[in-house]
Amino acid sequence: MALGYIGKIAKVNLTEGKVDAEHPKEHFYRRYLGGTGIGAYYLLKEMAAGVDPLSEGNVLVFAASVITGTPGPAIPRYSVVAKSPLTGTIGKSEAGGFWGPALKRGGYDALVITGKAKEPSYLYIENGRLEIRLAKHLWGKSTGESQKMLRDELGKEIRVAQIGPGGENMVRYANICNELAHFNGRNGLGAVMGSKNLKAIVVKGSNKVECHDETRIKEITKFVARGMKDHPQAYGLYLSGTPAGLAGKNAGGNLPTENWTKNVFEDAEKIGGEALEEFFIKRKGCYSCPIRCKRVVKVDQGEFQVDPIYGGPEYETLASLGSNLGIGDIRTLAKANELCNKYTLDTISLGMTLSFAMECFDKGLLTTEDTDGLELKFGRGDLLLELIEKIAFKKDVGELLSEGSQRLAEKIGPEAMDLLLAVKGQEMPMHDPRVKNGVGLQFALSSCGADHWTAQQDPLFQEAGSLGLEGIKSLGILEPIGPLDLKGPKVRLIYYTHLMTLMYDVLGICVFGAVSRSILPLSMVLDLVKAATGWDTSLWELLKSAERTSNMLRMFNVREGFGRKDDTLPKRLFEPMATGPLAGKNAISEQDFNEAVSLYYQMAGWNEEGIPLPGKVAELDIDWVGEYM
Amino acid sequence: MAKVKVKLHFVLRRYGQAELEVLELPDKTTVQQLMDQYGFAPGEVGVVTVNGKLPGRDHELEDNSSVEFYPIFGGG
Ligand code: SF4
């Protein structure tokens, strides 16, 4: 009997309107575990190289894991995997919330969706049954409206993963949202849903996920609930959420400001965690998670209202749409966040595309002739709100901006390339690698373009005895490592924590729940898998599964023509900081960086071009990929 | 003695009596010694500013210095 996993994966062909199911054997689940592992498997097998990501040839996978849906702590995540319309690489993105556990409780481990529906459609899943239904009445509606209509129609217990107009109109950085406030944020996977005429996936699941030892799983949840308040990082998340990070970044001289031309923002205090408190109404969390780090805001006075059903802005949003655009008004940012959530736009790529366009405008590379008369200037909150509408509906200049910053740069020409802050076409998150060089390696080496959760971040490991370092001692990282270091120990730290973080992704574990960012120790991650599945497994086997996935992602990209030339960083990061307490300092050495990339390849078992060596492929038991290369 | 203003941000506030405190410290007290006095857990402090600058932990605090402690932020 399957324990932990369901043993059923749906195959949905939207072109033919056909629904089928596969019943993989236990070894499939043990090898790939879930999430991106399962997603990469199907993408490699079922998709040809060179497919246009917005064509019906793209394969779209939604996958939970062998522990999702159990009562364990901080494991709400599921992955969406498809070829990314933003980067052209494999695309992957995780979301918390409630949808992943509901998918399992609804009778499926994963969905593999191919083709394109003739008319707007949604998938309806209820306890092992899957139907393709018409969604004409939902098309064009905001996420809040669609969710309400679906609930009125199908009952309050449903969970909805869906796109708003941004996804329908195939904005290249449209995301997918569940329960209006949790997102598969990056890589433009919402546009892939839009290209398939797929508005939503609705799940009603009331089956219990059978486990080998549920008592042990509940004990681990109790451990997190009891210990959370004594764990500074977990408690910090509970107390103030991610917005608290903004003040420290500004004080530390590394808050991305005005397309990273500045490193401190004079109005930082007006847009940070404290400013947001004025509109805070309650905490929210995810399925079976005691940490409850999400902060819900409501604005009901002043020139505009912000509806609390859309949650509240996280750090990334406050920085990418705030300091990065020179906007120092928290109400505007709360409103912008609400609009992005209604329309399903990724706030990081949106903010960075706008800031890039603004710097180009400032330097005369874009003029009002290109922007339908709009003055694209930093610091204009009204302009931000107007542009979000234009982008989501691809109106006027919104069409140009909906393509993301790299395509815009290619259109403008070589001078614009120097101002671009993207890796493999994906805009950089709000973490400046010049104060934590390992984050630069993550950005460069990520298979999905710049991403800040490809590994863990350097500052957690700089002090002996710190929770971050103690949390990964069982991986054999024993000594503190400084943040401005790119030598062997740092590369090893990034490689090992990449495997650890990807293990979380494939298992659906939230990075805000587990070490090194939070409280759940690695030993208990292992216990969760053992208790869910009954397997006599080990951390070794789980990390090897993550390494397997990492290599499958790489091989997908190799098949698409990506290689070493793409594992690099934007020019600005090799230049010193411009303003603030670090002005004139902290340029990353290009030579050190290139050496670190080579070293990483060697540690990973890849050749100088970043291609997995045959021995590595054999060791990971994925020789089969060769047939599809 | 040096009079030093200390501000604790967010989760670090639980170490102090108030969000903003004025302390009398022996001359030549270093940033690290002040941190030890508060008893922060290792690695819990991410950024320390003294008068808006980023000196090292061995920096000696002068009279009328303003020190701010921000929690570690390991990704958001
Ligand atoms: S730590 Fe926060 S984001 Fe993660 S599962 Fe818990 S509530 Fe959700």
Side-chain angles (χ1 to χ4, degrees), chain A residues 301-314:
Chain A
Q301 278 161 12
E303 58 185 304
F304 40 65
Q305 268 89 54
V306 175
D307 191 337
I309 61 168
Y310 294 102
E314 299 279 349

Side-chain angles (χ1 to χ4, degrees), chain A residues 232 235-236 239-240 242 244-245 247-249 251-252 274 315-316 431 452-453 457 459-460 463-466 512 517 581-582, chain B residues 7-15 19 35 41-47 49 52-54 57 70-76:
Chain A
Y235 185 55
L239 195 68
S240 320
T242 60
K249 281 190 168 282
E274 283 182 3
Y315 161 73
E316 294 293 334
H431 297 272
H452 60 298
W453 281 116
Q457 301 207 355
L460 295 168
E463 257 180 75
S466 65
F512 295 127
R517 182 72 174 86
L582 297 176
Chain B
K7 189 166 179 190
L8 302 166
H9 288 270
F10 299 102
V11 69
L12 301 178
R13 271 175 215 154
R14 69 193 197 288
Y15 287 97
E19 190 188 332
M35 288 173 72
E44 199 181 347
V45 174
V47 173
T49 60
K53 298 207 164 67
L54 299 167
R57 302 237 163 136
Y70 296 85
I72 185 97
F73 186 53

Side-chain angles (χ1 to χ4, degrees), chain A residues 98 138 144-160 178-180 202 204 284 309:
Chain A
F98 298 85
L138 304 172
E145 289 169 313
S146 308
Q147 173 144 314
K148 181 166 183 318
M149 288 167 75
L150 285 164
R151 280 206 175 149
D152 289 347
E153 216 172 293
L154 303 163
K156 290 228 166 345
E157 329 79 86
I158 58 163
R159 299 293 185 184
V160 183
N178 81 84
E179 300 307 299
L180 306 182
V202 179
K204 194 186 253 181
K284 255 192 157 177
I309 61 168

Side-chain angles (χ1 to χ4, degrees), chain A residues 428-463:
Chain A
M428 293 204 305
M430 298 296 106
H431 297 272
D432 195 323
R434 285 173 291 187
V435 294
K436 36 189 179 185
N437 293 171
V439 172
L441 279 178
Q442 290 191 49
F443 284 2
L445 289 155
S446 159
S447 290
C448 309
D451 183 282
H452 60 298
W453 281 116
T454 300
Q456 303 279 318
Q457 301 207 355
D458 320 41
L460 295 168
F461 311 102
Q462 60 187 331
E463 257 180 75

